[in-house]
């Protein structure tokens, strides 16, 4: 299961911390983009396998993430998940998001819109940002054996930066949705006067 990731690039930010001025957004350089695109062509061939490995690893290293998933929270034996159709389908959904992200690397405003919506949907799934950083780390561990000697520290940095970029925006989307639900709840409670005060 071991997989050492160099550097500390994927430390997740806590749910409480926001994208403030002291937290510069991840910056994808043209070199990162080129490296990611080239390696994606190889990763793509093993997309289902990588999706499963990534999630089984995530649940092994951070069991608290499994509890967020209605479908998997009661599965005790993680080996069973390796052959689960549901986990395969879920892994493929996440990998196809990564595929779309790679395809939008030359149009970052489109990637941003996609990641923001994903963050909003994760608020609805009750999946808080403090866990997002774990996914990039497990993705890297899952793709390294696929890329074999094509793996380099520059490539690792490029993927880390993409995950930091995407998860930073997901987090903003999550917080926006949280705020909008809070405002909505406040407005509806003001619009619905307390019956005790209106009764004649
Ligand atoms: C880089 C981080 C992540 C990415 C890119 C990602 C991506 C996705 C995608 C593409 C979906 C499919 C549905 C949709 O498009 O809205 C999804 C669903 C979901 N994700 Fe994530 N996710 C991430 C992190 C997490 C984490 C850390 C958790 C839990 C701790 C989580 C929990 C969920 C849940 C509960 C669903 C709904 C499951 C279902 O289909 O029933 N996600 N995610």
């Amino acid at each position: 299961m071991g997989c050492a990731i160099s550097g500390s690039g994927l430390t997740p930010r806590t749910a409480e911390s926001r994208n403030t001025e002291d937290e510069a957004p991840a910056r994808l350089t043209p070199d990162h983009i080129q490296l990611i695109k080239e390696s994606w062509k190889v990763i793509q061939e093993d997309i289902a396998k990588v999706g499963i490995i990534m999630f089984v690893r995530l649940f092994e290293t951070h069991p608290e993430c499994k509890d967020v998933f209605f479908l998997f929270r009661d599965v005790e034996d993680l080996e069973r998940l390796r052959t689960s159709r549901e986990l395969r389908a879920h892994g493929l959904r996440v990998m196809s998001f990564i595929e779309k992200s790679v395809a939008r690397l030359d149009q970052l405003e489109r990637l941003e819109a996609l990641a923001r919506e994903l963050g909003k949907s994760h608020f609805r799934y009750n999946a808080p940002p403090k866990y997002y950083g774990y996914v990039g780390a497990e993705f890297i561990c899952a793709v390294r054996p696929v890329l074999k000697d094509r793996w380099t520290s520059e490539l690792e940095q490029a993927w880390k930066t993409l995950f930091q970029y995407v998860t930073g925006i997901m987090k903003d989307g999550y917080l926006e949705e949280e705020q909008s639900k809070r405002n909505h709840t406040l407005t509806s409670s003001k619009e619905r006067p307390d019956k005790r005060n209106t009764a004649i």
Side-chain angles (χ1 to χ4, degrees):
M1 187 179 79
C3 165
I5 297 213
S6 49
S8 59
L10 281 171
T11 308
R13 297 180 291 186
T14 63
E16 290 73 33
S17 68
R18 283 173 181 266
N19 244 349
T20 47
E21 311 80 69
D22 59 313
E23 248 181 309
R27 210 175 65 81
L28 282 158
T29 65
D31 281 351
H32 289 147
I33 294 178
Q34 197 195 339
L35 286 167
I36 292 170
K37 282 184 180 169
E38 277 166 12
S39 61
W40 181 255
K41 288 185 208 145
V42 182
I43 298 168
Q44 204 173 26
E45 288 167 23
D46 276 318
I47 197 168
K49 189 175 96 184
V50 169
I52 293 176
I53 294 175
M54 180 166 88
F55 272 94
V56 173
R57 287 189 58 94
L58 178 70
F59 297 158
E60 270 169 355
T61 51
H62 301 285
E64 66 278 23
C65 290
K66 187 161 70 79
D67 297 337
V68 177
F69 289 87
F70 174 72
L71 278 173
F72 312 124
R73 64 171 66 134
D74 296 323
V75 179
E76 296 292 343
D77 179 7
L78 290 178
E79 282 310 306
R80 256 183 54 206
L81 281 183
R82 290 189 198 277
T83 50
S84 145
R85 264 195 297 155
E86 287 81 9
L87 189 67
R88 183 187 158 91
H90 181 75
L92 275 172
R93 278 201 289 278
V94 175
M95 293 300 287
S96 98
F97 172 85
I98 297 170
E99 180 161 52
K100 282 188 204 150
S101 305
V102 174
R104 282 165 172 71
L105 283 172
D106 296 319
Q107 300 157 287
L108 288 181
E109 63 296 338
R110 287 187 65 215
L111 173 53
E112 191 174 325
L114 192 72
R116 196 171 292 276
E117 277 316 304
L118 190 65
K120 289 184 182 182
S121 61
H122 279 65
F123 173 76
R124 299 190 286 273
Y125 302 147
N126 259 324
K130 64 180 173 189
Y131 300 141
Y132 300 167
Y134 305 149
V135 177
E138 299 311 341
F139 172 86
I140 285 174
C141 288
V143 297
R144 223 149 67 168
V146 172
L147 285 157
K148 302 192 183 93
D149 52 6
R150 277 177 273 214
W151 190 259
T152 61
S153 57
E154 289 78 20
L155 183 57
E156 180 169 323
Q157 193 49 53
W159 277 106
K160 274 184 187 172
T161 310
L162 177 60
F163 272 92
Q164 279 166 349
Y165 180 85
V166 164
T167 55
I169 298 165
M170 277 177 74
K171 176 183 163 184
D172 291 342
Y174 178 100
L175 294 172
E176 267 172 41
E177 189 69 356
E178 183 180 50
Q179 190 59 51
S180 116
K181 286 286 164 321
R182 205 175 282 149
N183 293 344
H184 180 74
T185 314
L186 276 175
T187 317
S188 21
S189 64
K190 275 189 198 144
E191 280 168 1
R192 209 178 331 112
D194 191 327
K195 282 196 178 116
R196 283 168 305 182
N197 298 334
T198 51
I200 302 170

